[in-house]
Amino acid sequence: MSAPLGLFRSRVRPAAVTSLLPVRIPAGGRWISRSPTGGAVRPLEGVTVLDLTRVLAGPFATMILGDLGAEVIKVERPGAGDDTRTWGPPFVGSESAYFLSVNRNKKSVAVDMKHPRGVKIIQELAGVCDVLVENYLPGKLRQMGLGYEQLSRGNPQLIYCSISGYGQTGPQAQSPGYDSIVSAVSGMMHITGPEDGEPVRPGVAMTDMATGLYAHGAVMAALLQRHKTGRGVHIDCNLLSSQVSCLSHIAANYLNAGKEARRWGTAHESIVPYQAFRTRDGFLVVGAGNNQQFVRVCQVLELPELAEEPKYKTNNLRVQNRQQLLDTLSNRFLQESTADWLKRFEGSGVPVGPINSIQEVFAEPQVKHNGLIQEMQHPAAGPVTVPGPAVRFSSFSPSGPTPPPLIGQHTVQVLRDTLSYSDDVIRTLLESGAVAQNEAF
């Protein structure tokens, strides 16, 4: 079923945009959405996103919106661009792999927001876009005339999503937000690391990524709300709230029982066995979530006496007698290779998996089957490969993404097609330094 037309701003669209809006055709007794060119319509086709974000949380959110069909206009500083363009090595040609990983399906316009005419361009773009996503320090854009209250006066249907470190108000609102810092402040680092070791940072910036996912979901909800009310909304999405909410049962244990959390390494504080075990050549994670699965673990390990031991009969007892049981299991797992154990556990009904290197991850048949290796042809770097979208839809295929843009690759195109600027005006803007166009385009 096509997206409700109320999701799109009720404004006069340029002919180039209007021609791409979805149409509905009957098929086998039901209606399906097709683009005018014949392909299946993605959910956000017809939605335009003005992306004023950089680094990770914001670009990750807007990339997901772009995967879903939104037109994403990424605003970058002339010359420098997004900070992550320099985060390397590794580089693919002159492009950092970091930047390439979270910026597909976007157009780049280089605008100097310190230039009065540059600010005017952003105001005009906000007036014709459905969604604006930004991750400036709270209040900074308002000082420039680009705050929600200011822009919503000219575009009451604008969905304005602010991503910050700690929120738009409060005692820490003016503190800059960095994944590692908020990971520490939120308690994430406190519960991550070896049982008897120091706190560690997760290997991926999970606080940033969680915030990006929350922001993407909030924008989708706001589009539905606008369909009902006809009005936009300001979304306050921040790293601290995102990570604290993701503490889940760890938070509930403290809030309801006063139980302080601790680090468990790969283990689980409430389920035994549920952790990684060293094998002869690697590691295997085993999760026995119920008593039947524990019995099957004992059978696979050829330790049936453990299943009959009274002090291991229930999970509660296994948690109480954790160390002795884990010592026995650990010694047994050391006797065979990871591959041998995987074969032994096959068909047992016990959840198991190896701790893969990243090379092994992308050799996994299921990873390939799920389309998680996405290849693109970059205009400067040549062929690039990045992780593909995590979610699949029956109504469209995520194939055929556009590669991450060069700085200012689409400046002239957006000014001409989205804002209907004449060539003379565009030339004047380029000469003034308010905007920049990538010379390769």
Coordinates of all heavy atoms in Angstrom, one line a residue, residues 22 113 130 180 292 329 365 386:
P22 N 4.5 8.6 -6.0 CA 4.0 7.3 -6.3 C 2.7 7.3 -6.9 O 1.8 8.2 -6.7 CB 4.0 6.6 -4.9 CG 3.9 7.7 -3.9 CD 4.7 8.8 -4.5
M113 N 27.5 28.5 6.2 CA 26.5 28.9 7.1 C 26.9 30.1 7.9 O 26.1 30.7 8.7 CB 26.0 27.8 7.9 CG 25.2 26.7 7.1 SD 24.8 25.2 8.1 CE 23.7 25.9 9.3
D130 N 10.5 18.5 4.0 CA 9.6 17.8 5.0 C 10.2 17.7 6.4 O 9.5 17.8 7.4 CB 9.1 16.5 4.5 CG 8.4 16.5 3.2 OD1 7.2 16.9 3.1 OD2 9.1 16.3 2.1
S180 N 31.9 8.4 23.3 CA 32.7 7.8 24.4 C 32.4 8.4 25.8 O 32.2 7.7 26.8 CB 34.2 7.9 24.2 OG 34.6 7.1 23.1
Q292 N 15.8 -27.3 29.9 CA 16.0 -28.3 28.8 C 17.2 -28.1 28.0 O 17.9 -29.0 27.6 CB 14.7 -28.3 27.9 CG 13.4 -28.8 28.6 CD 12.8 -27.7 29.6 OE1 13.1 -26.5 29.5 NE2 12.1 -28.2 30.5
L329 N 32.7 -26.8 32.7 CA 32.3 -26.6 31.3 C 33.5 -26.1 30.5 O 33.8 -26.5 29.4 CB 31.1 -25.7 31.1 CG 29.8 -26.2 31.7 CD1 28.8 -25.1 31.6 CD2 29.4 -27.5 31.1
P365 N 27.7 -17.3 5.3 CA 26.6 -17.4 4.2 C 25.4 -16.6 4.5 O 24.8 -16.0 3.6 CB 26.4 -18.9 4.2 CG 27.6 -19.5 4.7 CD 28.1 -18.6 5.7
V386 N 30.1 -1.4 1.5 CA 29.7 -1.0 2.9 C 28.6 -1.9 3.4 O 28.0 -2.7 2.6 CB 29.1 0.5 2.9 CG1 30.2 1.5 2.5 CG2 27.9 0.6 2.1

